[in-house]
Amino acid sequence: MSGASPVDPVSSAEPVPLAVPGPAPAPEAPANGTVEGDSPLDRAVWRLRSRGCWHDAAALLEPHSVRHAPSALRRAALLVERCMFTATGWAEAEDALRSAEALAGDDDERGGAACERGHLAYAATVLGVRDRADEARSALGRAAALLAPAAPGRPLLDFRRGLMAEHVADSPDSARAAYRRAHAGATAHGDTLLLSFTWRHLAGLALRDGDVAEARHGFAESLRIREELGFLIGTAPALAALADAAPDTDAPRLRAEAARLFRLMGGVPTWLADHLSTALPAT
């Protein structure tokens, strides 16, 4: 698995015109929503999430999630994201999802919960925990039926359907189309963290197709956004991805920095370990 894996500076970016077969880099993906709002709670949740403290971030939302459907969904999304990055916490994510599904009161909320359900099943599948591909397809299909084309959650759904197309169905053309829809939607909705994922996965397809210059551009945009947002937990994967497309003079430095951050974050994301093994010193 390659190290290439959810800011106003790229809010006007156009989808990257790529045509590529081949598997994408790493499978990680963002939770539902990004830097939401500017309240003290929003800022605290973001600070914890961006540093990989998903359990603590979810705990801040727990009192609000008992009766408030959006908070319950947001909490579930954090715990699903923890599963994707750490391959742990599956039971807690399942419990949070069931609560969010029970509280959902309209199509947007039901669609958002289905999107998270699909992503949790996808994560279990690609991380080798259990094959839940059929469940992932069913849940994401249900989300597609519930979320209107212009709904705020639609770009994230498109991105996750791209992940399924690429990593489960081995259909890079379908994945590219889904990533481009997600990129355009993220741009329209100002979802800058999601843009860092769409840039990176489109760049991964470009790299597989041998378009190193396009790949380098997309990986660099992804890294820039994550650094500007302070999305520390996603910075090591972005550095490792850029190293894959960088000139030989720059690649070792980028991989070394990715390895340093990987150690700083306690070996998270777990799926990056093999890719960075050559950059990690013997112990």
Side-chain angles (χ1 to χ4, degrees):
M1 180 177 293
S2 166
S5 67
V7 178
D8 291 329
V10 290
S11 62
S12 60
E14 294 296 328
V16 184
L18 303 172
V20 263
E28 116 278 21
N32 190 16
T34 57
V35 190
E36 299 174 350
D38 195 39
S39 72
L41 176 62
D42 292 330
R43 292 194 298 270
V45 168
W46 169 250
R47 280 195 300 270
L48 290 166
R49 177 193 173 191
S50 65
R51 288 157 177 76
C53 302
W54 296 281
H55 184 272
D56 293 336
L60 292 180
L61 292 171
E62 190 167 8
H64 308 275
S65 65
V66 177
R67 295 183 179 84
H68 186 238
S71 295
L73 179 58
R74 192 177 175 192
R75 178 174 178 270
L78 287 167
L79 295 173
V80 170
E81 186 174 77
R82 179 178 66 165
C83 293
M84 187 76 256
F85 275 80
T86 70
T88 64
W90 303 95
E92 190 173 4
E94 290 280 2
D95 287 344
L97 258 178
R98 282 192 288 269
S99 296
E101 288 164 343
L103 284 173
D106 58 30
D107 283 352
D108 279 353
E109 291 169 358
R110 284 187 285 269
C115 186
E116 293 304 327
R117 170 69 61 189
H119 192 53
L120 184 64
Y122 164 81
T125 302
V126 297
L127 295 178
V129 176
R130 182 158 63 91
D131 186 352
R132 297 172 60 181
D134 288 343
E135 180 187 352
R137 291 188 191 96
S138 176
L140 294 177
R142 188 163 65 252
L146 289 165
L147 292 172
R154 193 75 190 204
L156 180 61
L157 172 62
D158 286 334
F159 176 73
R160 289 174 172 176
R161 297 180 88 182
L163 293 176
M164 283 291 296
E166 185 173 9
H167 295 287
V168 178
D170 191 22
S171 178
D173 288 342
S174 296
R176 182 185 66 248
Y179 292 151
R180 291 179 66 181
R181 289 195 302 272
H183 191 92
T187 299
H189 287 281
D191 190 340
T192 49
L193 182 58
L194 181 55
L195 278 171
S196 82
F197 286 88
T198 56
W199 274 118
R200 197 168 69 79
H201 281 268
L202 285 167
L205 291 176
L207 186 62
R208 295 302 187 272
D209 198 39
D211 191 343
V212 177
E214 189 64 62
R216 189 177 302 153
H217 173 68
F219 289 144
E221 284 296 294
S222 176
L223 176 61
R224 178 180 64 80
I225 292 170
R226 292 182 179 195
E227 288 180 335
E228 290 180 356
L229 282 177
F231 189 53
L232 185 61
I233 195 65
T235 302
L239 284 163
L242 183 56
D244 288 344
D248 291 342
T249 53
D250 295 332
R253 173 183 58 81
L254 291 166
R255 289 195 180 95
E257 178 62 11
R260 185 188 71 80
L261 285 174
F262 179 74
R263 290 192 298 268
L264 178 66
M265 302 309 296
V268 177
T270 55
W271 43 257
L272 194 57
D274 289 343
H275 185 73
L276 291 176
S277 58
T278 56
L280 293 168
T283 56

